Amino acid sequence: MEAMEVDSPMEMQGRGGVQPVVAPAGEDPNAPLVISDSGSSTEVDDDDDDDNEGRQTASRVPPRLPATWAFSQRAVGGSAATPSAAQGAPIRRRLRQGLRVHYPSQTAAPSRGFPDFLLRAPAASVAQPESGSTTEVSESDEDAEAENEGDEGGTSAAAEPVDPVLPPASPRLNASIQNTLPQEAVPTNSSSAADGERTEAKNLVVQSVSAASASLQSSHGEEGEGDNCTICFEAWTTAGEHRLSALRCGHLFGFTCIQRWLKAQGPAAKCPQCNKKAKRSDIVLLYAPKLRALDNSEQEILKKSLEQEQSLRRKAELESAQYKLKLQVVTNKYGQAQQELQELKALMAQAGRSSVPSSSSSVSTSLLFSLSQRADGSRTAQYSFSKAVLVSQAGGSRVLSYCEPLSCLLASQPSPQATLVPGCGVKKVSVVNMKASQYVPIHSKQIRGLSFNRQNDSLLLSAALDNTIKLTSLLTNTVVQTYNAGKPVWSCCWCLDNSNYVYAGLSNGSVLVYDTRDTSTHVQELHPLRSRCPVASLCYVPRAASSSFPCGGLIAGSLEGGCFWEQVNETTYRPHVLPLETAGCTDIQVETESRHCLVTYRPGRSNPSLRCVLMALNRTPQQDSSQLPSCSCSPVQTFSAGSSCKLLTKNAVFKSPDGGGMLVCAGDEASNSTMVWDAGTGSLLQKLPADLPVLDISPFTVNGEHFLASLTEKMLKLYKWE
């Protein structure tokens, strides 16, 4: 153990200068030499202290007391109770300011007195204090002197009466006290006034030491809290028995301390800090040369606040998107209401000009005939051949549709590179330059239906025999959504009142309702009322301000008839069986503005030719509260074509490009041509030749010019209205 240094009394005369140290009588001349070093601390080692201990004649050293107690006895006792050298009391060896005596031979001697943090009380003599001095004597040497002097039994000096003061809070305070205490002065015959000044000065020193002790204790508790073992309150080490270790709970201890702690508690051992169960095998040695925990509490608080802000921002963005969607829906409904209002006003004006309006159907029929008759007298334009585009060299094309936002026609076909990209897709044909552009793969089997909505978002709805319907973005040419219907899909269409819903007609006669916001499965199934024949055609009739047929709903056509599913609300559909023939219905198409539909029948025993019947949709008003209104249709005009119909072709009914009346177009397999009729008079206007049977017909408008496209298995022919 290292030698502890304490202050020694100084021999001074007055306040002017320092006198040389004189060895007392009887002192061994071989005692440690004192060498002046101009105020610096100089250590002189003496290896012969054991020989000199028997010759010491100094008085018996009083027992060691705490340093603060020594301060108190000096401050209170003063020189009143201190014997002088003239009275026969032995004088201790003194050192001049700036000198230090060190006894290395006694550094290993154990201390048998008070603990190391207590200091020995001063001798019987009192020295005059001198500021700035630091005189230190090895503690081990002082212990040896005390033992020697106690054995000789010389004349002992009377000890000064002292008042005890609390010891310092920690060993670190001792060093501070050693460097702070003034040296004791040699007793003089000064007046009582000088003694009072020294007493007052020492009281001030004691107060300053107490304040320093409190500050050191608080700083030690704050700074050294994470560096000490919480069991022994000693600093842990990086090696040895008291090295840094931890339990499973994460608290840190010295290895020997926590080992003894757990061993003493036995099977019910717990962590000294958190009281969690622990055992000796839970002790883990930490190989950390210097352990320091980074205080990141503010960073974690900032992270949490950032996450909260991001969550609130995402929530606000979601709410904003929902409100935008609601605004769009309201805007669409407002536009539809405005359009219905205009149509209602026009119908009321026409009804007012009508002389005898017997019924709504007769009014619409008379209006249709009057418009067509007025158009007959002024019609001079007709369709003329414009361009033929090869769609599929091997054939296999089936259905046709027009995409208005991209100004292109889409024709279904098998993959042109079946070995590399098997399946079926659509071929894009630009109507700007009348050329085929690219092929987009979609399904694995033949496509039976294509449809677009009114949102102009270039989303293509397709149905195929691979049991799926798909949504394909023509902007990126990728499939964005796939629904598995479980059975082959023969037809499909969009809901024109709410673009979030689509319909799929299955081979068993059922119609599945899908919500594009739900990507898992269908939301509703409309079961067939009669037979379970495949749904060959699906058409949606939007709601309109029409006196004859204001309701909206879905028309499903099968080989054995048709059914109108009136949409009461988003989830409720009311079926109405249409009065159609029970066999041979191949296709149903709708003209939404005039509320007419075109029903195609294949040749049969009673009718040997292909027939296209134009029917007006009507609704019987409600008679009483118990009877619900019924929807039906009545025939207006019938158009006859050839005697052959082996394929399920699709026909068209649309408004005439010249603005007067309607036109009906149908493919004739017998003559491989497209036949154009006037819907008002029923007269055949044109017969557009083709090389193969016409499978699908689609009218469209580009830059104010009207065209008609007819599709065969290989070719797409375009006709322009001129």
Side-chain angles (χ1 to χ4, degrees):
M1 184 172 73
E2 295 182 358
M4 181 172 288
E5 300 172 352
V6 297
D7 292 336
S8 300
M10 302 296 297
E11 181 181 1
M12 300 179 62
Q13 291 182 357
R15 299 178 182 266
V18 179
Q19 299 298 329
V21 179
V22 180
E27 187 91 1
D28 190 354
N30 295 325
L33 299 179
V34 178
I35 303 172
S36 176
D37 194 16
S38 301
S40 62
S41 299
T42 305
E43 299 180 359
V44 179
D45 297 340
D46 189 356
D47 297 337
D48 300 331
D49 290 333
D50 296 337
D51 299 333
N52 295 331
E53 288 177 359
R55 307 188 196 98
Q56 298 291 339
T57 58
S59 62
R60 185 179 300 273
V61 179
R64 298 192 304 173
L65 300 177
T68 51
W69 189 9
F71 279 134
S72 177
Q73 74 91 15
R74 285 198 297 271
V76 177
S79 60
T82 304
S84 62
Q87 295 174 356
I91 300 176
R92 293 182 57 224
R93 180 174 51 191
R94 302 179 202 37
L95 299 177
R96 190 174 58 85
Q97 173 188 5
L99 300 182
R100 183 170 58 186
V101 180
H102 182 61
Y103 294 88
S105 61
Q106 297 183 6
T107 56
S111 176
R112 293 184 295 272
F114 287 90
D116 292 339
F117 62 88
L118 300 179
L119 301 179
R120 181 177 56 79
S125 61
V126 178
Q128 184 177 357
E130 180 176 350
S131 62
S133 62
T134 306
T135 305
E136 302 173 351
V137 178
S138 173
E139 184 185 5
S140 59
D141 178 55
E142 293 293 332
D143 294 340
E145 282 186 347
E147 293 175 2
N148 187 17
E149 292 171 357
D151 294 338
E152 289 180 355
T155 304
S156 60
E160 294 179 344
V162 294
D163 294 330
V165 182
L166 292 176
S170 66
R172 297 182 182 177
L173 186 59
N174 296 331
S176 175
I177 295 174
Q178 293 174 7
N179 297 328
T180 308
L181 292 177
Q183 303 297 325
E184 296 185 13
V186 177
T188 59
N189 296 327
S190 58
S191 63
S192 61
D195 293 341
E197 291 178 359
R198 284 197 300 272
T199 303
E200 182 178 358
K202 289 182 180 180
N203 289 335
L204 293 176
V205 171
V206 170
Q207 294 177 2
S208 63
V209 169
S210 301
S213 172
S215 63
L216 281 175
Q217 185 175 3
S218 62
S219 63
H220 177 71
E222 295 176 358
E223 298 178 0
E225 182 179 358
D227 299 335
N228 296 337
C229 173
T230 55
I231 298 177
C232 66
F233 297 103
E234 293 293 335
W236 50 56
T237 60
T238 58
E241 296 181 352
H242 200 255
R243 67 179 305 161
L244 182 61
S245 61
L247 294 177
R248 281 189 178 182
C249 56
H251 293 108
L252 306 178
F253 310 96
F255 178 72
T256 54
C257 293
I258 189 60
Q259 192 175 27
R260 287 196 299 265
W261 176 279
L262 298 179
K263 185 177 180 181
Q265 288 192 346
K270 296 181 179 180
C271 174
Q273 288 190 257
C274 63
N275 284 335
K276 287 187 178 181
K277 290 184 179 181
K279 52 187 177 180
R280 297 181 64 183
S281 60
D282 295 340
I283 303 175
V284 179
L285 297 178
L286 301 181
Y287 297 90
K290 186 175 183 181
L291 182 64
R292 178 176 296 177
L294 180 63
D295 185 9
N296 61 341
S297 57
E298 295 183 0
Q299 183 180 1
E300 293 298 326
I301 294 174
L302 292 177
K303 283 184 179 180
K304 289 183 179 179
S305 62
L306 177 61
E307 291 177 357
Q308 292 177 356
E309 292 295 332
Q310 290 177 347
S311 177
L312 293 176
R313 181 177 180 179
R314 287 193 295 268
K315 184 178 179 181
E317 290 177 353
L318 180 60
E319 292 179 354
S320 175
Q322 291 176 351
Y323 287 131
K324 286 182 180 179
L325 182 60
K326 291 181 180 179
L327 177 62
Q328 183 180 0
V329 171
V330 172
T331 304
N332 293 339
K333 289 183 178 180
Y334 175 76
Q336 291 177 3
Q338 289 290 102
Q339 184 179 359
E340 292 174 0
L341 179 61
Q342 296 296 331
E343 293 177 355
L344 182 59
K345 288 181 179 179
L347 288 174
M348 292 177 63
Q350 292 177 4
R353 290 194 299 268
S354 176
S355 58
V356 185
S358 59
S359 65
S360 59
S361 61
S362 61
V363 170
S364 62
T365 304
S366 62
L367 289 174
L368 176 64
F369 276 104
S370 63
L371 290 174
S372 62
Q373 286 174 359
R374 288 197 302 268
D376 280 340
S378 61
R379 178 181 289 123
T380 57
Q382 61 181 3
Y383 285 108
S384 61
F385 177 75
S386 176
K387 186 72 176 290
V389 180
L390 178 64
V391 177
S392 176
Q393 184 69 37
S397 297
R398 186 76 186 187
V399 290
L400 181 67
S401 185
Y402 176 69
C403 179
E404 185 176 356
L406 299 181
S407 299
C408 67
L409 286 166
L410 299 171
S412 66
Q413 69 165 95
S415 174
Q417 302 291 336
T419 56
L420 299 178
V421 185
C424 297
V426 294
K427 173 67 73 66
K428 285 184 177 180
V429 179
S430 174
V431 297
V432 177
N433 55 11
M434 302 298 177
K435 292 183 179 180
S437 57
Q438 60 185 134
Y439 168 78
V440 181
I442 301 177
H443 292 274
S444 60
K445 292 184 179 181
Q446 187 184 52
I447 297 176
R448 299 303 297 265
L450 297 176
S451 178
F452 286 97
N453 59 12
R454 291 183 173 181
Q455 299 299 319
N456 294 331
D457 51 6
S458 302
L459 275 180
L460 173 65
L461 175 65
S462 59
L465 299 179
D466 58 358
N467 303 346
T468 62
I469 62 172
K470 295 187 178 184
L471 294 176
T472 304
S473 174
L474 297 180
L475 299 176
T476 59
N477 295 333
T478 55
V479 177
V480 296
Q481 183 61 40
T482 301
Y483 294 100
N484 191 346
K487 294 184 179 299
V489 186
W490 281 54
S491 57
C492 64
C493 70
W494 288 84
C495 177
L496 300 181
D497 289 327
N498 189 346
S499 60
N500 292 321
Y501 293 94
V502 295
Y503 304 96
L506 305 184
S507 60
N508 62 351
S510 298
V511 177
L512 299 182
V513 183
Y514 289 92
D515 188 347
T516 57
R517 296 164 295 187
D518 184 1
T519 60
S520 58
T521 183
H522 61 275
V523 295
Q524 194 172 356
E525 182 177 0
L526 307 178
H527 296 281
L529 298 180
R530 293 181 178 177
S531 63
R532 305 182 68 86
C533 292
V535 180
S537 61
L538 279 178
C539 295
Y540 190 86
V541 181
R543 294 184 178 89
S546 173
S547 59
S548 60
F549 198 78
C551 56
L554 182 70
I555 296 179
S558 65
L559 296 176
E560 296 185 359
C563 180
F564 175 71
W565 294 89
E566 180 185 1
Q567 186 177 17
V568 181
N569 50 51
E570 288 188 357
T571 59
T572 305
Y573 292 86
R574 183 183 299 128
H576 301 274
V577 179
L578 298 178
L580 305 179
E581 297 180 9
T582 57
C585 179
T586 60
D587 182 54
I588 299 178
Q589 299 295 327
V590 175
E591 209 289 311
T592 57
E593 294 186 6
S594 63
R595 323 297 282 182
H596 285 74
C597 66
L598 181 67
V599 183
T600 303
Y601 297 98
R602 65 173 49 180
R605 293 180 180 179
S606 59
N607 295 291
S609 62
L610 177 70
R611 290 175 300 126
C612 296
V613 181
L614 182 65
M615 294 188 173
L617 298 173
N618 54 66
R619 185 182 187 188
T620 303
Q622 185 175 0
Q623 300 297 333
D624 52 16
S625 59
S626 61
Q627 183 181 2
L628 295 175
S630 61
C631 298
S632 181
C633 62
S634 57
V636 176
Q637 194 66 258
T638 302
F639 312 95
S640 298
S643 59
S644 175
C645 182
K646 297 179 180 179
L647 301 174
L648 296 177
T649 61
K650 293 184 177 299
N651 303 322
V653 54
F654 53 94
K655 297 182 72 173
S656 176
D658 59 6
M662 292 188 301
L663 297 180
V664 174
C665 295
D668 183 15
E669 291 187 14
S671 61
N672 291 337
S673 62
T674 302
M675 304 182 73
V676 182
W677 291 280
D678 186 341
T681 60
S683 59
L684 180 62
L685 299 178
Q686 283 183 280
K687 196 171 184 178
L688 307 175
D691 299 332
L692 296 172
V694 178
L695 302 176
D696 202 351
I697 299 172
S698 177
F700 61 93
T701 302
V702 179
N703 298 327
E705 296 181 345
H706 301 276
F707 293 87
L708 182 68
S710 63
L711 178 67
T712 65
E713 287 187 355
K714 296 182 179 181
M715 299 292 295
L716 176 65
K717 287 194 173 184
L718 301 175
Y719 301 90
K720 184 178 180 181
W721 182 265
E722 294 177 343

